[in-house]
Amino acid sequence: MGELRFPGAHRTLHPDRLWIWEKAVYVDENRRTWLPVIMETESSLQVLLRQEDVPLGEATCPSQLGPCLLPPAWQLYPGRRYRGSDSRIWHIVYHIQFGGTEDMLLERLPGPEQE
């Protein structure tokens, strides 16, 4: 897959870990908050994670959140990918910072790839 290029944008470091904090809010190891936008098609599942500062309330236990297409946590793996707490692999399509906004697009790879 070719690398996407965005004029005026630059790469940024990927978070090592992302955890669900409350409904529709993830937090990374630096307590930065990420808001997910899920995009589902017949052939793929993608999530756009936008780093946006939001006030954090009390952390919610994942079992209290109900069913969701996204895992409660992600761990950064080698090769531009994350492994979800459900063992699914998510490819980092892009991760850019542009004009004060930081976006990361992940695409879930088919099958529960085990390492």
Side-chain angles (χ1 to χ4, degrees), residues 2-110:
E3 187 171 318
L4 296 173
R5 301 237 183 245
F6 298 91
H10 65 274
R11 289 178 158 181
T12 185
L13 295 175
H14 309 309
D16 286 331
R17 293 179 182 85
L18 292 160
W19 299 271
I20 190 79
W21 186 265
E22 58 191 50
K23 186 176 177 92
V25 178
Y26 283 83
V27 66
D28 67 19
E29 66 275 5
N30 297 310
R31 292 192 54 88
R32 297 185 318 148
T33 49
W34 296 80
L35 307 179
V37 176
I38 299 170
M39 299 166 284
E40 187 175 21
T41 66
E42 289 181 18
S43 61
S44 74
L45 178 64
Q46 294 183 330
V47 59
L48 175 67
L49 290 161
R50 173 159 288 171
Q51 195 285 308
E52 193 170 306
D53 294 331
V54 297
L56 291 174
E58 289 293 318
T60 304
C61 180
S63 62
Q64 296 174 322
L65 295 172
C68 182
L69 294 171
L70 303 179
W74 279 294
Q75 168 73 46
L76 184 62
Y77 264 54
R80 295 181 48 88
R81 59 193 178 147
Y82 280 93
R83 185 179 196 124
S85 54
D86 59 359
S87 295
R88 301 291 300 252
I89 301 296
W90 294 73
H91 171 70
I92 301 169
V93 178
Y94 65 79
H95 183 187
I96 60 169
Q97 188 167 4
F98 180 76
T101 300
E102 187 174 344
D103 287 341
M104 181 167 54
L105 182 65
L106 306 178
E107 182 173 39
R108 187 174 74 186
L109 298 178

